[in-house]
Amino acid sequence: MSNFITSSLGKKVILSLSGLFLIMFLLVHLTANLFLLGGSDAFNIATHFMDTNPVIQIIQSILALGFIIHILYALIIQFQNWRATPVKYKKKYQKESSSWSSRNMIWLGIFIFGFLFTHIINFFYVMKFGEMSSTIVHGEEMHDAYKLVVGLFTGGTLAYVYSGVYIVSFVALGLHLNHAFWSAFQTVGWSNDIWRKRLSVIGSLYALLISVGFTVIPIYFLFIK
Amino acid sequence: MKVKLKIWRQANAKAKGQFKNYELDDIQDEMSFLEMLDALNSKLIKEGENPVAFENDCREGICGTCGLFINGRPHGPGEQIATCQLHMRLFKDGETIVIEPWRAGGFPIIKDLVTDRNAYDKIMQAGGFVSVNIGGTPDSNAVLISKEHADEAMDAASCIGCGACAAICKNSSAMLFIAAKVSQLALLPQGKVEASKRAKRMVAVMDELGFGNCSNTGACEAECPKGISLAHIARLNREFLKANIKS
Ligand code: SF4
């Protein structure tokens, strides 16, 4: 087993499985976000549920672990890959042989990590440890998470800047996922000439869903609401 | 036609190399790329300069020795051909052609355009074979193999070990090569017996020899002169996982 974890393929399996776990998480997160479109009460109830449900609390720690493992292994693999290519070609033509995302996963990943960091400070940290106003929905007192979101996405230039960062980040995430989805299945051995096409299509659709789904939120608050 | 050449010259493994420019006037369209290099070398010898070292043997796309990185692509322009099958008609008159050796951690340069590709041999020695008992020749019809498996194994077996896969890979990964070998043997009943051991050993040696980790960009498949499919890499991954779960 120790050989497996230190082998190149073993490390990649860990990277893929943690990635697939994060892929599932994004769907859950997106579902929760879309409650925003249902107005303040709907979103606050959804957030309250997430905040207080014990199962979700446990999953939250696993999620953090998933992120850490994914990032750590991505870095280890990337550093080994840089070491394996000590000299660059003078002329290298690769546009047609591989996709841009597949060649830039690490940079997209680092960009997404930067976003994740600000995102955690803006939302997660405030909700868990910060000062938040509360509201009463159906007779129950809870955090007014809706107000927090509205505060970030509306009013003033800062809201535009933040929305811009948010949108660009989700384009980056979409590009990352576009390669990641099929790639994860390939790495765990679930692919052949037929499934590769299917998985690529599903992966692109999934990436599009995540990108569009998440960018709808700032656009909704900036321009529609 | 006329061509301008920009060729990597390096006296030996330790020397610092550099690009040198050459010009050739009398090149015919129907010449192969290696014939063009032969013409250059004849000229260099006449002028008293060291000829450009490059590898070649069969000159019909079978032996896998002739890999050169030409104008940014392994084996140059043209689809699914080795360098020796490349012809000058694919270049424009007066074009500058950049010729580099494979550049991958696992393939150190020996001289000019010649790289040390022993690493692939070492990987083969680790498991790219089937063990058979000596004795009488077994009846070839006694072991049944489905058409699909035979075809796929044959496709994998067409890998010539040229090294283009690791050369184009941004991670210098040798996965396509190993996948072709593991896949070819794992698909056949004779090779199944040692499939687990083979996958583990070949991957271990690949990791040792300084090749990077595959990130599924697919560049190897696009540039492989034999069109080896990424599906074989998926099979290698499966075989490797299976082998590790078993033990
Ligand atoms: S897989 Fe293709 S590119 Fe790689 S060594 Fe074999 S023939 Fe050459």
Side-chain angles (χ1 to χ4, degrees), chain B residues 117-138:
Chain B
R117 281 174 291 164
N118 270 329
Y120 272 16
D121 296 332
K122 287 191 188 132
I123 293 170
M124 283 304 272
Q125 283 157 10
F129 51 79
V130 286
S131 310
V132 284
N133 292 325
I134 50 165
T137 320

Side-chain angles (χ1 to χ4, degrees), chain A residues 163 166-168 170-171 210-220:
Chain A
S163 302
Y166 202 93
I167 292 167
V168 173
F170 280 102
V171 171
I210 295 293
S211 273
V212 173
F214 278 101
T215 30
V216 157
I217 311 292
I219 291 175
Y220 172 76

Side-chain angles (χ1 to χ4, degrees), chain B residues 120 159-165 176-177 224-226 228:
Chain B
Y120 272 16
C159 162
I160 53 175
C162 64
C165 39
L176 193 65
F177 167 73
C224 169
K226 300 296 165 185
I228 304 288

Side-chain angles (χ1 to χ4, degrees), chain A residues 12-26:
Chain A
K12 285 175 44 193
V13 167
I14 294 170
L15 183 69
S16 302
L17 293 179
S18 57
L20 286 171
F21 173 64
L22 297 178
I23 278 176
M24 288 194 293
F25 153 72
L26 280 174

Side-chain angles (χ1 to χ4, degrees), chain A residues 91-110:
Chain A
K91 188 169 176 187
K92 192 171 182 193
Y93 182 78
Q94 47 187 11
K95 268 202 218 93
E96 275 168 22
S97 55
S98 57
S99 69
W100 185 86
S101 328
S102 76
R103 279 180 269 123
N104 292 287
M105 289 300 272
I106 191 70
W107 305 118
L108 290 166
I110 289 171

Side-chain angles (χ1 to χ4, degrees), chain B residues 151-159 179-181 183-185 187 228 232:
Chain B
D151 283 353
E152 243 192 303
M154 195 63 206
D155 285 348
S158 64
C159 162
K181 304 304 174 192
S183 200
Q184 172 204 338
L185 297 173
L187 280 163
I228 304 288
H232 295 297

